Each structure stands twice: as C-alpha cells, then as structure tokens.
Amino acid sequence: MQDPGDPASKEKENFPALEVYVKDILKTFGNDDRIVMWDLYNEPGNTGKLTSSMPLLKSVFIWAREINPNQPLTAGLWAWDFQELNAFQALNSDILTYHNYEDEKHHQHVINLLKSHGRPMVCTEYMARTNNSRFSNILPILHRENIGAINWGLVAGRSNTKYAWNTPVEDGGEPIEWFHEVFRKDGTPYRQDETDLIKKLNEVANK
C-alpha cells in the first residue's frame, strides 16, 4: 500500500500530521546504529503523480534536516525523464541512491551519469531476471564501481515477487523464470550459481 497514498500525498492539509509522524520516527531512531540511512520518499512521481510529488518531497527533507539524524538522508532516483524531481533528489541526498531494472548496458550508463555528483552510491532496487537485470550481469558492475547493492526480495512467499509485475500465473504455478527472490521456502537457492556469486563478491569486498 502507498503511504500516505493518492490524493492524500498531494493535499497540504495532511502535511502537519505527516510531519509529526516523520519527525517522531527520526527522533526515535536517529542515533540507532542498526540504521544505515533514511530513504525518505520511495519513487516520487510514480503512478501518475509526476511533479505533484514535489511539495511533499521537499517537505520531508526539511523535516528530516530539522531533526538531523546521525544517518545520511536520501531519496532514490528511479525515472530518468523526471528531470525536476531527479535534480532535487540528487542535490539534497547525502548518499546517492537509485533504482534500475534494466540490463548491464543501461545500468552502466546510469552509473556513469550519476558519478558526476561525486557522492557515495547505493543501488537500492535492482534484479529482475525477466528484464535481464540479474545478479550475474549487474552485481559484478556494482562491485567494480564500489556501489552498494540492495535487492528487496529474499524468500519466495506472500509478496509473490517470483512472478513478474502484471504477469500473473493463473494456476499459481511456477513461472518459467523467477522475476525476483533468491531462496525457495525451504531455504534452498533458486539458483545456486547466484548465491555462489554473491558469497564470492562479498568475500572479495571484505578482504
């Protein structure tokens, strides 16, 4: 579910309540070393909101800066034609985060563009096998470029993200190829070569 949803996210009369909520969370956990960073607004402009997301995006950064948590602040870039939103997100994020579900050529192009900001980078969403965004072709790029990598799924389950977006399998059976997720419910890898690669690159990074 979207939070606060549409049209609530565009109605400024809702902002005082949202400000209380955001500031309370940041005050409570702003010194918690379990938290790496604060991603303040997921995919602003999505589902047709476009630049109507800008007032809330700007406000949430103002609220967060007033609390000034120890952890860095960010809002991930995700739609490369959203120039106004992207410019604000990039200029106001301590760590540059982004989403990319394309193949290695497109992903590398995005990295090359974002490098110009000269900030640490984390890819906070990637890995969609049926889009040719895979551990095998994307994770080595991120490793080489010293970019953090987060895929948001782990075990096949209630989120049903082994199925691609908007492509249900009517009988609930196995898709031809899993879209996302790493492990089956019994803990075995969907693909052993993927988990082997993840382990290998993490071992290299930790040396």
Side-chain angles (χ1 to χ4, degrees):
M1 297 296 292
Q2 296 181 52
D3 183 9
D6 193 22
S9 61
K10 296 180 285 192
E11 296 171 349
K12 289 193 175 182
E13 59 267 31
N14 295 319
F15 284 18
L18 295 173
E19 179 179 1
V20 171
Y21 169 75
V22 169
K23 287 184 172 181
D24 180 58
I25 295 294
L26 292 171
K27 283 179 181 177
T28 301
F29 298 104
N31 296 307
D32 193 321
D33 59 12
R34 295 173 298 178
I35 294 173
V36 175
M37 60 186 170
W38 293 100
D39 192 347
L40 296 174
Y41 196 136
N42 183 57
E43 297 191 347
N46 203 348
T47 57
K49 295 184 181 71
L50 304 178
T51 53
S52 69
S53 294
M54 186 64 86
L56 182 56
L57 177 64
K58 287 182 176 180
S59 294
V60 77
F61 268 95
I62 291 170
W63 303 334
R65 294 294 179 197
E66 288 175 354
I67 299 303
N68 194 29
N70 283 341
Q71 308 93 339
L73 306 178
T74 188
L77 289 81
W78 69 281
W80 312 110
D81 55 340
F82 288 3
Q83 294 182 7
E84 186 179 352
L85 288 166
N86 289 344
F88 180 86
Q89 290 166 248
L91 290 172
N92 288 275
S93 292
D94 301 318
I95 289 178
L96 212 58
T97 60
Y98 69 96
H99 302 172
N100 192 287
Y101 290 101
E102 305 298 329
D103 64 19
E104 64 269 29
K105 183 177 179 180
H106 183 273
H107 201 130
Q108 183 67 63
H109 177 65
V110 167
I111 290 170
N112 293 342
L113 292 174
L114 296 180
K115 275 182 180 181
S116 64
H117 293 279
R119 277 177 236 170
M121 290 167 55
V122 179
C123 178
T124 49
E125 288 191 25
Y126 80 109
M127 216 285 281
R129 295 181 184 92
T130 54
N131 287 1
N132 198 25
S133 174
R134 306 169 185 274
F135 290 123
S136 60
N137 63 343
I138 303 300
L139 197 54
I141 295 173
L142 299 175
H143 180 265
R144 183 180 69 243
E145 297 283 0
N146 197 31
I147 295 172
I150 299 174
N151 68 289
W152 39 263
L154 186 63
V155 180
R158 291 175 61 187
S159 65
N160 283 328
T161 49
K162 68 180 181 180
Y163 304 103
W165 296 310
N166 303 316
T167 55
V169 177
E170 291 187 5
D171 65 2
E174 285 279 298
I176 295 173
E177 182 176 40
W178 280 20
F179 178 74
H180 201 70
E181 308 297 12
V182 183
F183 295 101
R184 300 182 184 277
K185 290 182 179 180
D186 64 2
T188 58
Y190 168 63
R191 292 189 53 153
Q192 186 66 49
D193 61 316
E194 292 180 341
T195 54
D196 289 345
L197 175 64
I198 293 168
K199 288 180 180 179
K200 178 182 177 181
L201 293 179
N202 275 304
E203 287 170 359
V204 171
N206 290 327
K207 285 183 179 179

